[in-house]
Amino acid sequence: MTRLENFISRMTAQRDILDQVCPEVAKMEGLVLELGLGNGRTFHHLRERLPGRRIVAFDRALGAHASSIPEAENLVLGEIRETASRFIGIDAALVHADIGTGYDDRDAVTSTWLPDLIARLLRVGGIAVSGTPLDHPLLQRLPPPPSVPADRYFVCRRV
Ligand code: SAM
């Protein structure tokens, strides 16, 4: 797969998974947390799919398109491992993490702390969606939509 194909496959997986989980999330109380605002494309998608829901976005620095910048109170800048830890116990309905780098060694480091952080951010029954694996005893893996190849993007429920 070329990097272009890989990128397209990631974008498609993000859209299809977020479209799959948002109707369920809409029926659940709780914040939505966007770990890795980036350009703001998935933030924009979530905002459209979950109108009225508070979405708090995290990143090291603001680099989003002008149309996709959260209100100041919903933007948290800094290292996610540290900043999102302050939200532990918030009982989020959905956590979406798109902080993979494409470098296996760096993503392996992220996998040492991200699953536990997400498990502590979510309410029981809440949904985690991530570009990197979420191996954790409290995160039960769910099947992605048929359009998403195995291990392309990960969906879990907090048990
Ligand atoms: N989903 C976003 C979109 O649709 O535009 C793209 C996210 S981009 C791939 C990943 C973002 O996460 C980058 O902006 C990067 O700065 C941020 N990021 C990655 N790891 C981070 C960390 N440990 N702490 C803070 N920000 C991080």
Side-chain angles (χ1 to χ4, degrees), residues 21-38:
V21 303
C22 278
E24 185 179 347
V25 170
K27 295 182 201 144
M28 242 185 256
E29 284 188 21
L31 288 184
V32 170
L33 304 182
E34 171 80 331
L35 306 185
L37 175 66

Side-chain angles (χ1 to χ4, degrees), residues 27-97:
K27 295 182 201 144
M28 242 185 256
E29 284 188 21
L31 288 184
V32 170
L33 304 182
E34 171 80 331
L35 306 185
L37 175 66
N39 185 277
R41 293 185 184 98
T42 47
F43 169 77
H44 187 270
H45 199 74
L46 286 167
R47 206 172 51 180
E48 293 290 313
R49 293 293 186 267
L50 295 167
R53 184 63 59 104
R54 185 176 174 203
I55 305 174
V56 181
F58 299 74
D59 209 303
R60 290 192 175 100
L62 179 58
H65 185 272
S67 66
S68 308
I69 297 176
E71 310 81 0
E73 65 272 22
N74 292 330
L75 176 65
V76 184
L77 299 181
E79 282 300 308
I80 285 167
R81 186 176 184 178
E82 195 184 306
T83 54
S85 293
R86 297 184 211 137
F87 287 71
I88 283 173
I90 199 86
D91 280 344
L94 171 67
V95 176
H96 172 228

Side-chain angles (χ1 to χ4, degrees), residues 2-157:
T2 66
R3 288 190 57 225
L4 176 61
E5 289 167 329
N6 188 45
F7 178 77
I8 291 168
S9 143
R10 183 164 66 89
M11 298 300 103
T12 305
Q14 288 177 343
R15 181 201 57 198
D16 292 355
I17 291 174
L18 294 178
D19 283 350
Q20 180 185 54
V21 303
C22 278
E24 185 179 347
V25 170
K27 295 182 201 144
M28 242 185 256
E29 284 188 21
L31 288 184
V32 170
L33 304 182
E34 171 80 331
L35 306 185
L37 175 66
N39 185 277
R41 293 185 184 98
T42 47
F43 169 77
H44 187 270
H45 199 74
L46 286 167
R47 206 172 51 180
E48 293 290 313
R49 293 293 186 267
L50 295 167
R53 184 63 59 104
R54 185 176 174 203
I55 305 174
V56 181
F58 299 74
D59 209 303
R60 290 192 175 100
L62 179 58
H65 185 272
S67 66
S68 308
I69 297 176
E71 310 81 0
E73 65 272 22
N74 292 330
L75 176 65
V76 184
L77 299 181
E79 282 300 308
I80 285 167
R81 186 176 184 178
E82 195 184 306
T83 54
S85 293
R86 297 184 211 137
F87 287 71
I88 283 173
I90 199 86
D91 280 344
L94 171 67
V95 176
H96 172 228
D98 181 20
I99 60 172
T101 63
Y103 293 98
D104 289 346
D105 55 341
R106 294 182 200 177
D107 292 347
V109 173
T110 299
S111 292
T112 64
W113 56 266
L114 184 64
D116 190 60
L117 175 61
I118 289 180
R120 290 161 180 257
L121 291 169
L122 281 171
R123 58 178 285 163
V124 171
I127 306 280
V129 176
S130 174
T132 53
L134 294 176
D135 298 324
H136 191 281
L138 293 178
L139 297 175
Q140 181 183 64
R141 200 155 166 193
L142 301 176
S147 59
V148 178
D151 295 343
R152 167 66 275 190
Y153 222 76
F154 302 88
V155 198
C156 297
R157 184 183 304 286

